[in-house]
Amino acid sequence: MKHWIRKAAVSTALVATVMLTGPASAQGDGIYVPNLSYRTGPFASTGTPLMNGQRDYITMLNERDGGLNGTKLVYDECETGYNTEKGVECYEKTKANAVVTQPWSTGITLQVLPKSNVDNIPILAPGYGFSAMADGKVFQWAYNPPSSYWDGAYMILQDISGGDLSTLNGKKIAFLHLDHPFGKEPLPLLEKLSAEHGFELVPIPVGLTEMQNQSAQWLQIRRERPDNVIMWGWGAMNAGAMTEAAKTKYPMDQFYGVWWSGHDGDLKLIGDQGKGYRSISWSVPNSDSALMQDIKKHVIDAGKSQINQGEGEFDSVFYQRGVMISLILVEGIRAAQEEFDTQNPNAEQVRWGLENIKLDEARLAELGAEGMLVPFSTSCADHTGHGGGWILEWDGSKFVKASDLLKADRDVIRPLEEEKAKEYAEANSPWPVNEECSM
């Protein structure tokens, strides 16, 4: 009965939306899925392959299958240059017909987050955004699967410590990070773990104007002589850090990065000098997979892609991660189609779909993406899934998988999620919560 009531409520909400603003998502030309992209600016080198991968997965479904269960997916980009103000403008421009918004910046996500309760449009931020968005009770419209930044930071420490964080006692870890909401996001967890396990955390911020010239930061690293450096970098910052690390001969096997700091192009700048560098990742490229071969056949070879084939983009971590991101989105939309028996789910229904994703190993194999994405599932209470990640290691020419699946300790991270979610709700009171959900 409760399930039937939910369906009825969603149907009523759809009717109200149509009466007030016209069709919000049931467009005659398909399901509208906008992306707040950044193919320009200091982060273009990383943003471009990600957007190309997202676009090409959608194009492949439209070309191969005629869309999703017979309904075309309308992929659209609004260029932000990774600028928060432009990102909010793009959100406002695209929200009228959108069934989802993809902010593509932690800063933009934080600005859009309060709007989600008003506009009733789900936010999909795979592997980025505010880590506490995992708490579905508080953040009913926000999703950051398959792993959060706090998951990523914990998993890196797992690998550094050999699985026992107590062995970090007495060590010094430098945290080289972009001086931006994205770069600061792991600090609450890292500070907590530093206090608990007795390692010294040395935060080293990199300003937006310092990304390509980090001589001051690496001078500090040489002076501090840390046991490890963890990098939370993006775009031009990554290339700048790789160049400085090679120049100063910092031991690459002691240098780790978040998944956005594992871009092939950055490491190719230093080639063999980067051998041993490690990045946590919730995706692994596999160009021979059935899925990627379908993209090659229906999109790349058909001349319908924007990728630079001469640069090896098709085989890259970021291009294929973009493919995985659209795969996650489409599985949420597919769940909504099936649950509500509609070809054109609205934003409210897609919200339900995103919290009922089940991408286990069997489903990934069915999609032709076996081993390319960490298995995970979402729920009303858990909007991240916490699927874990693998370590990718640079072998001098490419990234290779260098670990078994790692998973963060939920007993450590869950209380922090609840604490920060509660703080956010109180700071933005009145903030609606879903009492039916609990962590």
Side-chain angles (χ1 to χ4, degrees), residues 228-295:
N228 293 95
V229 174
I230 297 175
M231 178 167 68
W232 231 257
W234 195 223
M237 176 183 160
N238 295 339
M242 294 301 170
T243 303
E244 288 289 343
K247 186 189 303 182
T248 59
K249 300 188 183 306
Y250 186 82
M252 284 295 178
D253 59 358
Q254 297 174 28
F255 193 9
Y256 284 76
V258 68
W259 36 77
W260 306 125
S261 297
H263 176 45
D264 304 67
D266 299 329
L267 273 299
K268 285 179 180 179
L269 293 172
I270 56 173
D272 283 341
Q273 290 179 288
K275 195 171 182 178
Y277 171 78
R278 315 192 89 182
S279 169
I280 190 68
S281 179
W282 40 262
S283 65
V284 175
N286 181 3
S287 300
D288 295 325
S289 68
L291 171 57
M292 295 310 299
Q293 286 302 303
D294 276 353
I295 289 176

Side-chain angles (χ1 to χ4, degrees), residues 61-79:
L61 290 180
N62 286 337
E63 294 296 316
R64 186 190 69 183
D65 305 335
L68 181 58
N69 291 321
T71 302
K72 291 280 188 180
L73 293 160
V74 182
Y75 177 90
D76 186 25
E77 291 184 8
C78 184
E79 178 63 36

Side-chain angles (χ1 to χ4, degrees), residues 27-45:
Q27 303 295 298
D29 56 355
I31 302 169
Y32 182 53
V33 286
N35 206 6
L36 311 190
S37 60
Y38 51 99
R39 295 176 179 270
T40 63
F43 304 100
S45 63

Side-chain angles (χ1 to χ4, degrees), residues 313-352:
E313 185 178 332
F314 181 79
D315 301 312
S316 72
V317 173
F318 274 29
Y319 174 76
Q320 296 197 26
R321 185 175 292 152
V323 171
M324 292 299 102
I325 288 170
S326 276
L327 182 150
I328 291 169
L329 168 60
V330 169
E331 286 303 286
I333 298 172
R334 189 194 307 273
Q337 284 182 328
E338 294 173 358
E339 175 66 17
F340 299 101
D341 192 22
T342 176
Q343 291 296 100
N344 292 278
N346 65 11
E348 170 81 13
Q349 292 165 335
V350 170
R351 186 205 68 80
W352 184 93

Side-chain angles (χ1 to χ4, degrees), residues 158-290:
Q158 266 187 319
D159 196 70
I160 290 173
S161 66
D164 182 1
L165 269 63
S166 68
T167 63
L168 298 176
N169 184 43
K171 293 192 174 183
K172 181 184 291 188
I173 296 177
F175 180 56
L176 184 71
H177 63 283
L178 190 65
D179 194 11
H180 190 269
F182 150 69
K184 299 173 184 177
E185 176 62 20
L187 279 169
L189 178 68
L190 291 173
E191 290 167 350
K192 172 184 171 72
L193 294 175
S194 170
E196 289 179 357
H197 295 286
F199 65 88
E200 182 183 353
L201 180 69
V202 183
I204 304 177
V206 178
L208 292 173
T209 61
E210 302 173 290
M211 291 191 295
Q212 293 175 299
N213 181 8
Q214 297 174 35
S215 56
Q217 285 81 4
W218 283 89
L219 178 62
Q220 183 179 354
I221 289 171
R222 288 199 301 273
R223 186 171 61 247
E224 295 282 356
R225 298 174 63 86
D227 294 282
N228 293 95
V229 174
I230 297 175
M231 178 167 68
W232 231 257
W234 195 223
M237 176 183 160
N238 295 339
M242 294 301 170
T243 303
E244 288 289 343
K247 186 189 303 182
T248 59
K249 300 188 183 306
Y250 186 82
M252 284 295 178
D253 59 358
Q254 297 174 28
F255 193 9
Y256 284 76
V258 68
W259 36 77
W260 306 125
S261 297
H263 176 45
D264 304 67
D266 299 329
L267 273 299
K268 285 179 180 179
L269 293 172
I270 56 173
D272 283 341
Q273 290 179 288
K275 195 171 182 178
Y277 171 78
R278 315 192 89 182
S279 169
I280 190 68
S281 179
W282 40 262
S283 65
V284 175
N286 181 3
S287 300
D288 295 325
S289 68

